[in-house]
Amino acid sequence: GSIGMMVMAGFGMLLSPFIIAMSSWLGNLLGRHAVTAGGRFQSDHLTGGLLFRFLGGVGVAFGIFLLISSVLQLIFGILAWKKRNDLAHTAFPLGVGIAFAVLALPSAMTGVGLISLAFPVLVIIGASMNRQQYHEIQSFYSQPPAPPPADEGSQS
């Protein structure tokens, strides 16, 4: 799960500059077209230009959010990978899995969204299995030792 999170973070980091550049370019192009040519917004040239530039700005903001969340996903994926065998400290991977699963829920209706939701869920499952194994080991070692069996053949 944590390796999948790192791979998806890499895709997000590669995709975000493209989204930023295309949103900026498209918003600027359509904004200039609405102001100079009039297009469909002949009565209010300024409103159409501002609308397209605003939409381009929203796309740029989305690209920046994608970049920041991808960097955080990469960092936390690496940290979860390092703590994968630590049975005593399972709260961190569990928290990372829950946080990124919640972030992936809005996009879970798409194919890529389902994949980006599956990896944090795998981290959650792994952390809970580690926690269960830790509690089983603790309960085994915390029980008092069983008395030795009575040897009935040696009594005369």
Side-chain angles (χ1 to χ4, degrees), residues 89-101:
H89 301 98
T90 58
F92 178 76
L94 188 65
V96 166
I98 290 171
F100 283 102

Side-chain angles (χ1 to χ4, degrees), residues 137-155:
I137 290 172
Q138 286 297 100
S139 68
F140 177 76
Y141 285 115
S142 66
Q143 294 175 359
D151 192 20
E152 297 190 24
S154 64
Q155 293 177 350

Side-chain angles (χ1 to χ4, degrees), residues 9-128:
F11 285 141
M13 288 171 29
L14 289 174
L15 186 64
S16 62
F18 177 73
I19 290 174
I20 292 170
M22 290 305 294
S23 297
S24 175
W25 175 76
L26 193 61
N28 193 19
L29 178 73
L30 292 176
R32 255 189 284 131
H33 174 69
V35 171
T36 58
R40 293 177 44 186
F41 299 101
Q42 286 182 347
S43 62
D44 49 351
H45 303 296
L46 189 60
T47 305
L50 289 176
L51 174 69
F52 286 122
R53 288 193 176 126
F54 173 74
L55 291 176
V58 168
V60 169
F62 174 74
I64 291 171
F65 173 75
L66 179 65
L67 180 64
I68 291 171
S69 66
S70 295
V71 168
L72 288 175
Q73 187 174 7
L74 178 67
I75 291 169
F76 286 121
I78 291 171
L79 291 174
W81 171 258
K82 285 184 173 186
K83 293 188 180 273
R84 73 187 183 280
N85 293 327
D86 189 6
L87 298 179
H89 301 98
T90 58
F92 178 76
L94 188 65
V96 166
I98 290 171
F100 283 102
V102 168
L103 286 176
L105 276 177
S107 66
M109 295 300 171
T110 64
V112 175
L114 282 175
I115 293 171
S116 66
L117 179 64
F119 293 127
V121 168
L122 288 173
V123 171
I124 292 169
I125 292 170
S128 56

